[in-house]
Amino acid sequence: MDPELASAVPPVHDAAEDRQQRRSLSVSRKKFSGSRPGAVRSNKERPLAYIDNSAEASIASGGTRVEDYLALLKPRVMSLVVFCALVGILVAPGSINPFIGFIAIVCIAIGAGASGALNMWYDADIDRIMSRTQNRPIPAGRATPGDALALGLVLSAFSVMLLTLATNWVAGGFLAFTIFFYAVIYTMWLKRSTPQNIVIGGAAGAFPPMVGWAAVTGTVTWESFALFLIIFLWTPPHFWALALYKQGDYGAAGVPMMPNVAGEKSTKCQIFAYTLALAIAAFLPNILGFSSWIYGIVALATGAGFLWFAVKLLVSPEGADMKRAARSLFTYSLSYLFVLFLALLVDNFALRLGVI
C-alpha cells in the first residue's frame, strides 16, 4: 500500500481486546487504592512520605559554598569593626607605611571574622532556635560546626602571627586577646551565665581601635582608651534595644538578656543611663586634645539624637509602642557609631592639613 494512503487510514482496533484491557486496568487501580472498607495496604502500596534532607545532603556531598564560609565570618559585624580599627590607625600620631597599614587592617578584619566563626560554632544550638539567626550557615544546614571551628582557629592564628610580624607584638597581642575575649570570655562563659553579658563582653567589640592605634605607635594611650570607651558604652543600649523587641527569641534560647531577667522597666532605665554616659564620653577626643570643633559639633548632635530615642523608649508604655521605640533606638544606634567615628576621621584630616 502507498505509505501516504496508509497513514491516512485510521488504525483498526479489536473491540473485545479493548474491553479486556480496560477491565484489567480498573481491577489493578482498585487493588492499588485499597478502596474496600477496612482494607490494609501493604508496605509496598502505602504512599511514601517525602522528607527534605537537601541541606544535609548538600553538606555530605561537600556542598558548602564560598559565600557560606564568608557568612560564618559575620561580614556585617566585621565591616563596623574594620572601620573603627581604620580610624584608630589613621588618627594615631605618627605614620605607618601604607602597605603595612593595609596589612594591619586585613589582619584585624580576619581576626574579627575568626571570632565570628568561633561564635557560630559554639552557638549553633541556640542559633537554631532564634528567628534572627536561623538562616546562618550552620542552623540552615549549609555548613557544619566543624567547618566553623576549623575556619575560626586557622584564621585566628594566621591573623595574629601576620599582624605581629607586620607591625609589632603589642598590636598582635592585643588582637589575640580580643579574639580570646570574644570567643571564650563572652561566647562560652558570659553570654549564657549573666544578664551583664553584653556589658562585659562588649569590651571585645571595643578593642579594634586600640589594636589599630597600637599598630602605628606600638603603645596603648589614653587617646586610644577614649575610643575604646565610646564603643564600650555604646554596646549595652544597642544590644538591649534589640533584646527588648526580641525577648521571645532570647527567652526560648535560654540566653539571660537583661529584659528577660530584670524586666522591661529596669532595662529601659539602664539603656538611658548608658546612653547618657555615652553622650558625655563622646567628648573625650575634644577633652584629650586630638579633635576640634568639627568633631565636637557632630558628637553633640548625634549624642542628643541618641538621648532623644532613649527618652522616648524610657517613657513608652509596654507592648507594641515599647517595641517600636526599642526598634527605632536600635536602628539609630547602627548609624551613630559610624557617623561619630567618620567625623573624628574628617576632623583629624582637617587638623593635619591645617584647614582648621
Side-chain angles (χ1 to χ4, degrees), residues 312-352:
K312 188 177 178 182
L313 175 62
L314 183 64
V315 300
S316 64
E318 295 182 2
D321 290 339
M322 184 278 296
K323 290 190 175 183
R324 277 194 293 269
R327 193 179 189 99
S328 297
L329 188 147
F330 174 76
T331 303
Y332 179 84
S333 68
L334 289 171
S335 59
Y336 170 84
L337 207 58
F338 174 79
V339 172
L340 191 68
F341 273 65
L342 179 62
L344 180 62
L345 188 59
V346 171
D347 184 282
N348 187 264
F349 281 165
L351 284 172
R352 293 191 180 191

Side-chain angles (χ1 to χ4, degrees), residues 17 25 27 35 64 68 86 100 142 232 235 275 304 333 339:
E17 184 179 347
L25 181 60
V27 171
S35 57
T64 304
D68 295 324
L86 176 64
I100 298 299
R142 301 192 305 271
F232 180 78
T235 304
T275 303
S333 68
V339 172

Side-chain angles (χ1 to χ4, degrees), residues 204-224:
F207 284 133
M210 299 185 76
V211 178
W213 191 286
V216 177
T217 65
T219 60
V220 176
T221 66
W222 285 111
E223 290 85 355
S224 65

Side-chain angles (χ1 to χ4, degrees), residues 2-355:
D2 189 333
E4 292 184 3
L5 180 60
S7 63
V9 176
V12 178
H13 295 281
D14 186 327
E17 184 179 347
D18 282 354
R19 285 195 298 271
Q20 181 63 31
Q21 289 178 352
R22 284 195 295 270
R23 189 179 299 112
S24 299
L25 181 60
S26 176
V27 171
S28 65
R29 284 176 176 171
K30 288 181 180 180
K31 287 182 179 180
F32 178 80
S33 63
S35 57
R36 292 180 292 106
V40 179
R41 300 178 184 176
S42 67
N43 288 336
K44 293 182 179 180
E45 293 174 344
R46 291 175 183 170
L48 299 177
Y50 174 73
I51 300 174
D52 184 6
N53 285 322
S54 58
E56 289 81 356
S58 176
I59 293 176
S61 61
T64 304
R65 300 168 298 176
V66 174
E67 52 263 40
D68 295 324
Y69 283 112
L70 291 176
L72 288 172
L73 305 181
K74 294 187 175 181
R76 285 192 295 181
V77 176
M78 185 199 302
S79 61
L80 183 60
V81 167
V82 169
F83 177 71
C84 292
L86 176 64
V87 172
I89 289 177
L90 296 177
V91 171
S95 61
I96 188 172
N97 181 283
F99 181 69
I100 298 299
F102 174 76
I103 291 177
I105 285 296
V106 170
C107 289
I108 294 171
I110 293 174
S115 300
L118 293 173
N119 173 268
M120 287 201 189
W121 160 69
Y122 193 81
D123 280 350
D125 56 334
I126 60 176
D127 282 349
R128 292 186 178 93
I129 300 171
M130 298 193 291
S131 60
R132 73 182 186 89
T133 57
Q134 285 176 347
N135 197 42
R136 286 177 174 175
I138 297 175
R142 301 192 305 271
T144 67
D147 292 334
L149 178 60
L151 185 66
L153 292 176
V154 170
L155 293 184
S156 294
F158 174 77
S159 61
V160 170
M161 288 190 295
L162 182 57
L163 183 63
T164 302
L165 293 173
T167 58
N168 54 73
W169 69 267
V170 177
F174 231 130
L175 180 61
F177 179 72
T178 301
I179 296 171
F180 173 80
F181 198 96
Y182 184 77
V184 178
I185 303 299
Y186 169 67
T187 300
M188 299 183 187
W189 176 33
L190 295 173
K191 185 173 183 177
R192 308 191 193 200
S193 62
T194 172
Q196 295 295 327
N197 47 19
I198 286 300
V199 178
I200 306 170
F207 284 133
M210 299 185 76
V211 178
W213 191 286
V216 177
T217 65
T219 60
V220 176
T221 66
W222 285 111
E223 290 85 355
S224 65
F225 179 76
L227 302 181
F228 164 87
L229 188 61
I230 290 171
I231 303 175
F232 180 78
L233 293 173
W234 166 86
T235 304
H238 171 74
F239 282 103
W240 283 341
L242 173 66
L244 277 172
Y245 72 89
K246 288 286 186 181
Q247 289 182 62
D249 269 8
Y250 288 108
V255 179
M257 292 297 283
M258 189 62 69
N260 301 81
V261 177
E264 294 177 358
K265 184 177 180 180
S266 175
T267 303
K268 292 192 292 184
C269 291
Q270 292 186 65
I271 286 176
F272 175 77
Y274 273 98
T275 303
L276 181 60
L278 171 62
I280 296 171
F283 289 100
L284 282 175
N286 290 108
I287 296 171
L288 294 174
F290 66 102
S291 66
S292 70
W293 60 269
I294 295 178
Y295 169 81
I297 291 176
V298 175
L300 178 63
T302 54
F306 213 141
L307 278 170
W308 184 82
F309 280 105
V311 170
K312 188 177 178 182
L313 175 62
L314 183 64
V315 300
S316 64
E318 295 182 2
D321 290 339
M322 184 278 296
K323 290 190 175 183
R324 277 194 293 269
R327 193 179 189 99
S328 297
L329 188 147
F330 174 76
T331 303
Y332 179 84
S333 68
L334 289 171
S335 59
Y336 170 84
L337 207 58
F338 174 79
V339 172
L340 191 68
F341 273 65
L342 179 62
L344 180 62
L345 188 59
V346 171
D347 184 282
N348 187 264
F349 281 165
L351 284 172
R352 293 191 180 191
L353 294 174
V355 177

